[in-house]
Amino acid sequence: MSLERGTEPPTRILLWRHGNTDSNAAQRVQGQLDVPLNDLGRAQAAAAAQVLAGREPQLLITSDLGRAAQTAAALAGLTGLSAERDVRLRERYFGAWQGLTTPEVKERFPESYARWRAADPDPGDGIEPLPDLGKRVSEAIRQAAERLPGGTIVLAAHGAAIKYGVAALLGWPEEMLPTVAPVQNCHWVDLIHQGSSGWRLSAYNVGV
């Protein structure tokens, strides 16, 4: 990236979704349940870590849930960084749905499921409202960037946490959110912050 004379270098945030789990494979709602990576997820994390290590990150922060922490560990092993834990990077809390498959949710909670399918940000049944999710994740992103101006930071997190944290950070309107695809396992979002330009999205859903 070329810089104008006197312009500070950009701060880069790479929001990295965890690798695959057995719950992902079974289309089971994980939410904040602490589910480990499976063999595929560990292989995905190792492959993605090779690419992300090439970005020369100086700071690594992870959700405290095991699947994200295990993913971050693959990058820590290559870079020598210690993975800090931040509970704000946790996945969206899915209340009574956690641990159920999608068909089970549809059968047991038809009303909230219909609201969720209709992109209601607060569908009920104890599910964390999207404004609350976006607020906590975007705060974690901003504070990480403030710690290392001009540096590269990797945040290991979760699909909904990344999507809605980015949306809150960039001020995307609510009606836009259903048109944005989820981030796949072990893919990442590339954000840049620089001076008066503020926050910009450089890449979305990038993988090996």
Side-chain angles (χ1 to χ4, degrees):
M1 179 182 293
S2 62
L3 299 175
E4 296 179 2
R5 187 179 299 276
T7 302
E8 73 278 10
T11 303
R12 170 163 271 118
I13 298 280
L14 299 165
L15 286 156
W16 185 24
R17 188 186 175 194
H18 63 81
N20 193 263
T21 69
D22 287 344
S23 291
N24 289 144
Q27 296 186 337
R28 193 173 296 279
V29 179
Q30 295 176 109
Q32 295 187 4
L33 296 178
D34 205 356
V35 180
L37 297 180
N38 56 22
D39 289 343
L40 172 60
R42 287 188 287 272
Q44 290 173 330
Q50 291 283 347
V51 176
L52 293 174
R55 304 291 185 90
E56 299 182 350
Q58 293 93 46
L59 180 61
L60 175 59
I61 306 175
T62 179
S63 156
D64 65 331
L65 296 177
R67 56 193 183 273
Q70 286 179 288
T71 300
L75 181 57
L78 294 177
T79 61
L81 295 171
S82 296
E84 301 180 14
R85 298 197 179 198
D86 189 334
V87 70
R88 294 175 298 177
L89 295 174
R90 278 188 170 201
E91 181 59 295
R92 185 183 191 183
Y93 180 64
F94 272 91
W97 294 15
Q98 294 190 161
L100 302 179
T101 64
T102 302
E104 288 170 339
V105 169
K106 185 177 181 180
E107 178 182 354
R108 298 186 195 183
F109 304 99
E111 293 182 4
S112 58
Y113 179 79
R115 290 195 294 271
W116 177 75
R117 290 283 296 173
D120 187 332
D122 189 5
D125 285 324
I127 298 172
E128 182 178 11
L130 289 180
D132 294 350
L133 173 64
K135 182 176 185 293
R136 65 172 167 87
V137 178
S138 62
E139 285 178 350
I141 296 170
R142 287 193 188 94
Q143 289 179 14
E146 289 168 359
R147 289 177 56 186
L148 196 66
T152 297
I153 303 158
V154 174
L155 305 181
H158 308 264
I162 292 172
K163 175 179 175 178
Y164 294 105
V166 168
L169 182 77
L170 300 181
W172 291 349
E174 184 177 303
E175 58 270 19
M176 175 183 170
L177 301 184
T179 71
V180 180
V183 178
Q184 299 175 59
N185 285 121
C186 255
H187 285 50
W188 58 89
V189 174
D190 190 341
L191 292 169
I192 293 172
H193 185 272
Q194 187 174 25
S196 60
S197 298
W199 286 100
R200 290 176 293 161
L201 178 66
S202 178
Y204 187 88
N205 209 15
V206 181
V208 175

